[in-house]
Amino acid sequence: MENIHISKIQSVIYIEPLSHDVKRSIYGKKLDFHELVFKISGDSITSFNDKKLHSIPNTVRFLPKSNGIEYYVDFKEQGACIDVFFDTLEELPKEAYNIDTSKNLKIRDLFLKIHKVWTSKQQGYYNKCLSLLYEIFSETEKTKTPLTDKAAHES
């Protein structure tokens, strides 16, 4: 996603592993913002518009904002992740995808940092988070090795 212009960061959240044995989380059919997710731990398969995305540690998942698209996650193993919800001035691709970032540990650090800065809410935090999100996009562009759907069917 080159030449991206972020118009808003809605939120940056850390999702902890669920304490109970949930096998599926259903997120409905509307995603008001684009979602960029860094998988810290666990193993799950996201179904988005009939596409299966296998997420394991050190993968980044992109989901475009949408309306009327089925979106749910099946958990093989509970885990943690950091989600960044954002909007842009231009249209982004409507295709969801995963990127293997295991060879670029800087991306993990950037996601941890954006979450820390976002939750601190110290003076200047929002602009710092914009800067970090642009840096995340820059690093993912360098690392872009999309994972295939085949991985989602492996058991």
Side-chain angles (χ1 to χ4, degrees), residues 73-126:
V73 178
D74 290 317
F75 299 98
K76 291 181 172 187
E77 176 188 338
Q78 288 292 328
C81 61
I82 295 174
D83 288 23
V84 180
F85 294 91
F86 67 98
D87 210 348
T88 57
L89 295 178
E90 61 279 306
E91 288 281 322
L92 292 185
K94 301 286 185 203
E95 190 74 18
Y97 60 83
N98 268 4
I99 299 172
D100 177 358
T101 64
S102 60
K103 290 186 170 71
N104 186 344
L105 298 180
K106 184 175 181 182
I107 294 172
R108 176 188 174 97
D109 293 340
L110 288 168
F111 270 93
L112 292 169
K113 188 170 185 177
I114 195 173
H115 178 260
K116 182 178 180 181
V117 171
W118 183 266
T119 56
S120 77
K121 301 285 192 236
Q122 292 182 359
Q123 187 171 359
Y125 83 95
Y126 188 85

Side-chain angles (χ1 to χ4, degrees), residues 16-132:
E16 304 243 357
L18 300 172
S19 57
H20 54 288
D21 194 25
V22 172
K23 296 294 183 200
R24 176 176 281 182
S25 287
I26 300 172
Y27 294 98
K29 294 190 179 231
K30 186 169 184 178
L31 192 56
D32 291 327
F33 295 92
H34 302 292
E35 184 177 357
L36 199 63
V37 181
F38 180 81
K39 187 76 161 173
I40 296 170
S41 62
D43 188 343
S44 60
I45 297 175
T46 299
S47 296
F48 187 86
N49 197 23
D50 295 326
K51 185 170 188 172
K52 306 279 188 201
L53 301 167
H54 187 194
S55 295
I56 56 175
N58 295 306
T59 57
V60 171
R61 180 177 68 235
F62 170 75
L63 299 178
K65 65 180 178 179
S66 60
N67 193 5
I69 292 179
E70 186 175 42
Y71 168 28
Y72 60 89
V73 178
D74 290 317
F75 299 98
K76 291 181 172 187
E77 176 188 338
Q78 288 292 328
C81 61
I82 295 174
D83 288 23
V84 180
F85 294 91
F86 67 98
D87 210 348
T88 57
L89 295 178
E90 61 279 306
E91 288 281 322
L92 292 185
K94 301 286 185 203
E95 190 74 18
Y97 60 83
N98 268 4
I99 299 172
D100 177 358
T101 64
S102 60
K103 290 186 170 71
N104 186 344
L105 298 180
K106 184 175 181 182
I107 294 172
R108 176 188 174 97
D109 293 340
L110 288 168
F111 270 93
L112 292 169
K113 188 170 185 177
I114 195 173
H115 178 260
K116 182 178 180 181
V117 171
W118 183 266
T119 56
S120 77
K121 301 285 192 236
Q122 292 182 359
Q123 187 171 359
Y125 83 95
Y126 188 85
N127 287 327
K128 180 65 177 173
C129 286
L130 280 172
S131 175
L132 288 166

